[in-house]
Amino acid sequence: MGSAPHTDIESQPPVTPTADASHSRFVQRIRRRYAAELPLLPPGLPRRDTITALVATLQAQGRAIGSALRVARQLVLERLAVLDIEQGAAMEDVTLAMTELAEATLELALAQAVADQSVRHGLPRTDAGAPIEFWVVGMGKLGARELNVSSDIDLVYVYEEDGHTDGPQPISAHEFFAQVARGLSTLIGDTTEDGFVFRVDLALRPNGNSGPAAVSLSMLEEYLQVQGREWERFAWLKSRVVAPRAAVDSGRALALRSIIVSFVYRKYLDYGVFEGLRQLHRKVRDEAQRRAAGRPERANDVKLSRGGIREIEFIVQLLLVVRGGQFPEMRTRSTLRALSKLAAGGLMKVDSARRLAEAYTFLRRVEHRIQYLDDQQTHLLPTIDGDLNWIARSLALTCSADACELLDRLGEIREFVALEFDALLHDGREPAAAGNGSGGCRTCGAPPAPLDSESFIEKLPEELAARLRPLCEQPKIKALREESKVRLARLISRAAQAARSGQCTMEAATRFVDWVEPLLRRESYLALLVERPEVQNRLLRLLGLARWPMRYLMRHPGVIDELADERLLHNRFDPAVFSAELEARHVAWERSGQADPESLLDTLRRAHHAEVFRTLVRDVEAHITTEEVADELSALADATLERTLAWAWKHLKQAHRPEPRFAVIAYGKLGGKELGYGSDLDVVFLYDDDDERAPEVYGAFTRKLIGWLTLRTAAGELFDIDTALRPNGNSGMLVTSMASFEKYQSGRGSNTAWTWEHQALTRARWCAGLGELEGRFETVRRAVLAAPRDHAALREEVRAMRDKLRAARPVKAGSFDVKHSPGGMVDAEFAVQYLVLAHSAAHPELLDNKGNIALLQRAQACGLLPDHVGSRAADAYRELRRAQHRARLDEQPTQVPPELLAEHRDAILALWRTVFG
């Protein structure tokens, strides 16, 4: 038996009703007609097993299967009316019971339909003699397990492949299953003296009502790939095989899933789908208005009218289709569960999701009561006062000629839903609102002329027009569709208006054109901006603050979607949350059968790019300091390495244990947690495994891991990896055992580390992999750093290495390079490294990898530096890092006139003289 749907956004708990189910004329008929059969249904909520048993009992009493199915349906609906109206059953329980009624009856009817045809024709088989399965695919509310109490069921009939039957009168598998489909629809949908089981609608099959009743998997795949329309993606979103159950349990039905998933979900953020749903919604609203013309009572349609059930479903389906391709953990068929996921993912305000869930539940409960009255598939509020009052009382509300709480509540809910829907699915223009910068202009919201028309360009500010004219002469602009030119013109009009009104600088507007130019063929990103004006406004502000964000956005345009998340500026990076979200995504890929290396590599890259962009936005908006930027980027790299390591091991053929005994050791900027944008990762790979296969296994794993980290995919790159600091440098093994690493660093044996390698070790740390290796590595590191050394010889070696590095990084005369010039950052770093190697044995507090600023302060506190020399050098180092960071953000040189940073240079020169003389 299935379980009741669960959602983190709970629907409103049902209140104690004050109505009686016997008001329903349908219930009255059932009780008169089937009084003897009503006791056959066990007490409580009807579930699949009890419904199947009920049908068997009715057959045992002499009823044919068609009659037994129909009577069972009537008994179940009578029970649900009592549970819902009189006992306040949860809406989710009612829809679950209806769904399981459909599943149980379809299962039995399918078995009968197949048996009927097989008597004459046998069973269909492939040319190789294997049996061919036939699947009943439930669409819409049946697929989502949200069936209402008098719903039709949308079905598509699919069979595995072509073949022929093996009976006395063989026919093709296609003919056989077409007859099965007709027999099944007759058993379920025909109206007899006992009524019907479900009204069957096959209009969603390929080619609609003009298409064949049943299609093969290959026919379905070809149709969806070649002819599938945007609205059909929404139709297939909730699809699943509902019968036979054995096909689902055995996994054979998974073949259908891969076809549907690739059709419904795109590998990119699919904002282009907005227009498809917009057109579908117009059809729905136009049809509702047509039906209501001259009949005002039809305006109270709780499903199709403005603010009704359908608009909530559209909101949810739209956001799922847009995001579900890249974020499989968002995928779900359930409307309530989807609202919870959308809120958790930041795609919807938590309060909006909660209120939409409450609205959906209330509207569905009203819908059920409307249908209980006469078992009619209608969503219109009744016009009879007694019926309206009964519905109100069943919801603990009142309704009289003077006042109707039910209608008031419906009005409030539908208005809220309509506003939420209109805010999401406006016509690609800013929603009409006060203060939108239009200044009361009646034509400002109208679609502009095409991008390359002179009438459009001449209305732009001079600077923007000068940038746009040469662009419009290029063949790539002239080759665009007219629709695309209008879309681009709309975006540039917004940029011009923002510059005129002071919302952004003119430089930001021209940078926006520079950013758009390479994306002319990637219309999904432009569609995002058209659909989300607030995202474009935030983008314009960002482009006006620094140059490097534009460069990053050109390389990774998909990250602009992050600007839609209002939490962007207020939340700091959380490694635990990041890892949990990635793991949830991995589980979702596995559940959908798509956890292949390509999907996982793209997932890692998109997640990393998005987090870098979030940090970048907080940075240029001055919400975090340079040090906090480095902390976030370093923690992000650690977390990304950890996930990559775990996932890559699962795809290693030579893996000999569930988890690798393997560690990634960070050096350099990553080791010191001073990572910047675009920094490469200095890493060393270690393992601790006594298995005789270990060297070969971990060698293969390290090569795979480096590939996963460095390969450029459709989603872009992840990291540049530098492993030159491993034992014996580029001539050494890519991965080293922990024991060999310890011997190399500690100088035991003929193969030992150089002093510069010990300098590098001062900033090394475990950053990913087996946790128990962290302590072992740190023990080795501390022992090596604290080993006795000749201070004079050490001083000369460190100074010689500094001279060698300076010679490799010449600075032009009359300039000060914040990193490489005398008095620059490298001087401070070398001084710290010397102090650690020379004095950490006597002062173990220097062994902690706390960064250059903290270690300078500690060295002064230990008495290794005179008063103020360490603290002033620490402050200078901080300011030089900030100067370097600001220059790189705006793509400015890091070599400046010496007088600009003379105070900080002099503080570090004083440190150098103190340490090295």
Side-chain angles (χ1 to χ4, degrees):
M1 291 171 64
S3 58
H6 170 75
T7 175
D8 294 328
I9 295 179
E10 298 293 342
S11 56
Q12 285 288 82
V15 292
T16 304
T18 56
D20 195 305
S22 61
H23 177 87
S24 158
R25 291 173 285 278
F26 169 69
V27 169
Q28 293 170 20
R29 290 197 302 271
I30 298 306
R31 289 177 176 176
R32 286 195 301 269
R33 175 79 183 272
Y34 301 109
E37 287 81 3
L38 283 169
L40 298 177
L41 182 61
L45 187 71
R47 299 299 300 270
R48 180 172 183 145
D49 290 347
T50 56
I51 293 167
T52 302
L54 173 62
V55 173
T57 300
L58 291 167
Q59 286 184 278
Q61 291 183 348
R63 290 183 179 270
I65 185 168
S67 174
L69 293 172
R70 283 157 176 74
V71 173
R73 183 258 187 190
Q74 316 293 26
L75 303 185
V76 167
L77 260 68
E78 190 273 345
R79 172 65 54 76
L80 290 179
V82 172
L83 294 176
D84 194 354
I85 301 298
E86 298 178 4
Q87 299 179 27
M91 182 272 291
E92 296 94 320
D93 285 342
V94 175
T95 56
L96 176 67
M98 285 303 302
T99 299
E100 294 196 355
L101 171 66
E103 292 172 346
T105 53
L106 283 167
E107 183 88 18
L108 296 169
L110 174 60
Q112 185 64 49
V114 170
D116 290 345
Q117 295 302 319
S118 65
V119 172
R120 178 184 301 176
H121 303 296
L123 293 173
R125 297 184 179 277
T126 65
D127 292 341
I132 303 172
E133 287 196 350
F134 176 91
W135 304 326
V136 180
V137 181
M139 311 285 281
K141 287 186 169 62
L142 173 57
R145 297 182 173 89
E146 297 172 339
L147 213 55
N148 60 46
V149 294
S150 190
S151 178
D152 60 0
I153 50 176
D154 295 299
L155 302 178
V156 175
Y157 299 134
V158 179
Y159 58 93
E160 286 182 298
E161 56 183 301
D162 291 323
H164 291 82
T165 60
D166 59 3
Q169 299 180 32
I171 56 175
S172 70
H174 182 77
E175 293 173 288
F176 180 87
F177 289 127
Q179 294 179 25
V180 168
R182 284 191 289 272
L184 176 58
S185 295
T186 297
L187 277 170
I188 293 292
D190 278 8
T191 301
T192 71
E193 61 178 354
D194 292 307
F196 55 86
V197 188
F198 285 98
R199 307 172 190 89
V200 176
D201 191 337
L202 301 178
L204 293 178
R205 68 187 186 271
N207 295 304
N209 290 328
S210 61
V215 294
S216 68
L217 267 179
S218 60
M219 291 169 63
L220 176 63
E221 182 175 22
E222 181 180 4
Y223 172 83
L224 294 178
Q225 289 181 352
V226 177
Q227 300 181 52
R229 291 157 288 184
E230 289 292 346
W231 68 262
E232 288 179 288
R233 294 172 62 193
F234 298 102
W236 282 94
L237 174 67
K238 296 184 175 185
S239 65
R240 65 185 174 93
V241 173
V242 296
R245 192 171 186 173
V248 177
D249 293 342
S250 68
R252 285 182 73 163
L254 292 177
L256 174 66
R257 182 180 65 182
S258 62
I259 295 172
I260 301 309
V261 166
S262 63
F263 172 65
V264 172
Y265 298 109
R266 303 290 188 256
K267 290 186 177 181
Y268 49 85
L269 295 175
D270 190 14
Y271 278 85
V273 79
F274 269 64
E275 187 57 34
L277 187 60
R278 196 175 282 130
Q279 293 173 3
L280 178 59
H281 178 255
R282 287 194 198 108
K283 291 180 180 178
V284 171
R285 270 198 181 171
D286 289 348
E287 178 62 17
Q289 290 170 358
R290 186 188 64 77
R291 292 180 180 181
R295 301 183 64 182
E297 74 278 1
R298 287 191 171 271
N300 275 325
D301 189 314
V302 297
K303 179 180 179 180
L304 300 180
S305 293
R306 173 176 163 81
I309 294 167
R310 181 57 56 84
E311 291 194 352
I312 300 175
E313 293 172 339
F314 276 176
I315 290 171
V316 167
Q317 291 169 13
L318 177 60
L319 293 175
L320 289 182
V321 169
V322 167
R323 303 279 294 193
Q326 287 191 9
F327 300 90
E329 69 275 20
M330 291 279 186
R331 300 175 189 173
T332 181
R333 300 178 182 92
S334 162
T335 301
L336 290 177
R337 192 174 295 119
L339 287 168
S340 180
K341 287 176 178 284
L342 292 170
L347 299 178
M348 184 181 291
K349 294 177 181 177
V350 173
D351 184 62
S352 295
R354 177 187 57 80
R355 292 183 64 185
L356 284 172
E358 292 172 358
Y360 181 77
T361 300
F362 184 82
L363 291 171
R364 291 298 307 273
R365 297 187 79 210
V366 172
E367 174 189 48
H368 286 165
R369 282 147 179 76
I370 292 171
Q371 294 174 348
Y372 286 136
L373 284 168
D374 295 293
D375 191 24
Q376 294 296 308
Q377 189 188 3
T378 179
H379 315 280
L380 298 174
L381 283 175
T383 55
I384 300 172
D385 289 345
D387 290 345
L388 202 59
N389 185 39
W390 176 75
I391 292 175
R393 284 187 293 109
S394 74
L395 296 167
L397 299 171
T398 61
C399 193
S400 65
D402 299 324
C404 186
E405 291 179 343
L406 172 62
L407 294 180
D408 292 344
R409 177 82 176 119
L410 276 172
E412 293 170 5
I413 284 175
R414 287 173 53 186
E415 184 61 24
F416 168 73
V417 171
L419 289 174
E420 288 288 316
F421 181 86
D422 291 343
L424 178 66
L425 213 67
H426 56 83
D427 288 336
R429 308 170 192 164
E430 292 79 357
N436 65 359
S438 66
C441 170
R442 292 187 178 183
T443 61
C444 289
L451 181 74
D452 54 353
S453 66
E454 189 59 32
S455 63
F456 169 71
I457 296 176
E458 67 184 9
K459 294 178 182 178
L460 297 174
E462 186 176 342
E463 293 176 59
L464 203 54
R467 173 66 185 87
L468 201 59
R469 278 195 175 92
L471 176 64
C472 290
E473 293 302 316
Q474 296 184 21
K476 60 184 177 183
I477 292 290
K478 296 184 179 300
L480 291 175
R481 293 179 295 122
E482 201 69 10
E483 176 188 349
S484 299
K485 293 179 183 179
V486 170
R487 176 183 282 171
L488 281 166
R490 177 175 291 154
L491 294 176
I492 290 172
S493 290
R494 283 189 197 155
Q497 179 63 21
R500 287 192 188 102
S501 64
Q503 291 177 295
C504 74
T505 63
M506 187 56 67
E507 186 176 17
T510 55
R511 285 179 183 172
F512 177 73
V513 176
D514 293 338
W515 176 76
V516 161
E517 183 178 351
L519 300 175
L520 296 175
R521 297 291 182 185
R522 303 176 74 174
E523 294 195 5
S524 60
Y525 301 122
L526 304 183
L528 184 156
L529 296 179
V530 170
E531 300 297 344
R532 307 296 293 270
E534 74 280 6
V535 171
Q536 186 181 0
N537 291 335
R538 291 173 190 161
L539 175 61
L540 287 166
R541 172 172 168 74
L542 184 64
L543 294 175
L545 293 173
R547 293 177 183 272
W548 199 79
M550 182 182 76
R551 200 74 56 208
Y552 191 79
L553 284 162
M554 282 180 169
R555 292 207 307 269
H556 311 299
V559 299
I560 59 170
D561 184 65
E562 299 300 322
L563 292 172
D565 191 342
E566 294 184 356
R567 304 171 300 177
L568 181 68
L569 292 176
H570 309 294
N571 292 359
R572 292 290 304 277
F573 174 67
D574 187 328
V577 171
F578 176 78
S579 296
E581 288 179 349
L582 272 180
E583 196 51 39
R585 204 158 300 153
H586 184 266
V587 169
W589 284 127
E590 289 183 323
R591 188 169 57 244
S592 65
Q594 296 176 292
D596 55 89
E598 179 184 358
S599 296
L600 298 182
L601 263 63
D602 285 347
T603 294
L604 289 165
R605 282 149 180 74
R606 292 188 185 109
H608 182 264
H609 298 160
E611 287 297 343
V612 169
F613 184 65
R614 290 170 186 163
T615 296
L616 175 60
V617 173
R618 290 190 285 267
D619 182 8
V620 297
E621 293 275 10
H623 284 262
I624 54 178
T625 65
T626 300
E627 290 79 10
E628 289 171 329
V629 170
D631 287 343
E632 289 199 1
L633 293 176
S634 301
L636 171 60
D638 289 355
T640 306
L641 284 167
E642 184 66 50
R643 286 298 89 214
T644 307
L645 190 157
W647 294 359
W649 182 259
K650 292 182 178 180
H651 288 266
L652 182 71
K653 293 179 181 178
Q654 301 96 320
H656 61 299
R657 58 172 68 245
E659 304 292 337
R661 295 188 59 80
F662 181 90
V664 182
I665 306 302
Y667 280 74
K669 293 290 186 185
L670 177 59
K673 297 185 179 179
E674 295 180 354
L675 212 59
Y677 302 114
S679 295
D680 59 2
L681 305 188
D682 294 301
V683 292
V684 168
F685 302 109
L686 302 178
Y687 71 90
D688 182 39
D689 193 327
D690 293 331
D691 192 291
E692 62 181 11
R693 297 165 292 176
E696 179 183 349
V697 170
Y698 291 111
F701 178 55
T702 301
R703 289 189 293 273
K704 177 179 283 289
L705 182 60
I706 291 174
W708 276 48
L709 292 169
T710 60
L711 183 67
R712 182 175 182 84
T713 72
E717 70 284 347
L718 194 53
F719 297 114
D720 287 327
I721 300 294
D722 190 338
T723 61
L725 292 172
R726 68 188 186 270
N728 297 305
N730 290 330
S731 63
M733 302 291 288
L734 270 178
V735 61
T736 308
S737 71
M738 181 65 79
S740 296
F741 179 81
E742 182 178 5
K743 288 179 182 178
Y744 179 82
Q745 293 289 350
S746 59
R748 298 202 303 273
S750 59
N751 186 28
T752 61
W754 296 80
T755 297
W756 66 265
E757 292 179 277
H758 290 167
Q759 287 179 247
L761 198 61
T762 63
R763 306 181 74 185
R765 63 183 178 86
W766 175 97
C767 71
L770 186 65
E772 71 181 66
L773 295 185
E774 179 177 11
R776 285 198 55 192
F777 169 77
E778 186 62 17
T779 299
V780 171
R781 174 183 170 276
R782 286 173 175 264
V784 171
L785 296 182
R789 289 177 174 86
D790 183 305
H791 290 192
L794 175 64
R795 187 180 290 112
E796 289 307 311
E797 287 188 70
V798 173
R799 183 187 287 129
M801 180 55 65
R802 178 68 187 101
D803 291 341
K804 183 178 180 180
L805 182 59
R806 183 175 288 127
R809 301 277 189 170
V811 178
K812 65 181 179 180
S815 293
F816 174 72
D817 188 301
V818 297
K819 182 175 182 181
H820 295 291
S821 288
M825 293 163 60
V826 174
D827 279 2
E829 292 165 359
F830 270 64
V832 169
Q833 291 163 14
Y834 170 80
L835 291 169
V836 171
L837 292 173
H839 300 290
S840 59
H843 301 283
E845 58 266 42
L846 296 179
L847 291 171
D848 296 335
N849 187 353
K850 293 297 184 182
N852 293 302
I853 293 172
L855 290 174
L856 283 168
Q857 294 166 342
R858 290 186 181 191
Q860 179 176 297
C862 293
L864 299 175
L865 297 172
D867 286 348
H868 306 304
V869 169
S871 58
R872 287 172 181 166
D875 291 341
Y877 185 80
R878 179 184 292 111
E879 292 306 318
L880 291 178
R881 278 186 63 192
R882 290 175 179 173
Q884 180 192 53
H885 184 71
R886 286 193 299 269
R888 287 178 173 174
L889 268 183
D890 208 30
E891 297 186 337
Q892 299 298 316
T894 55
Q895 295 185 8
V896 300
E899 61 272 14
L900 287 182
L901 297 169
E903 179 185 353
H904 308 312
R905 176 201 62 192
D906 292 346
I908 290 179
L909 286 174
L911 168 69
W912 182 267
R913 288 191 295 269
T914 300
V915 174
F916 294 104

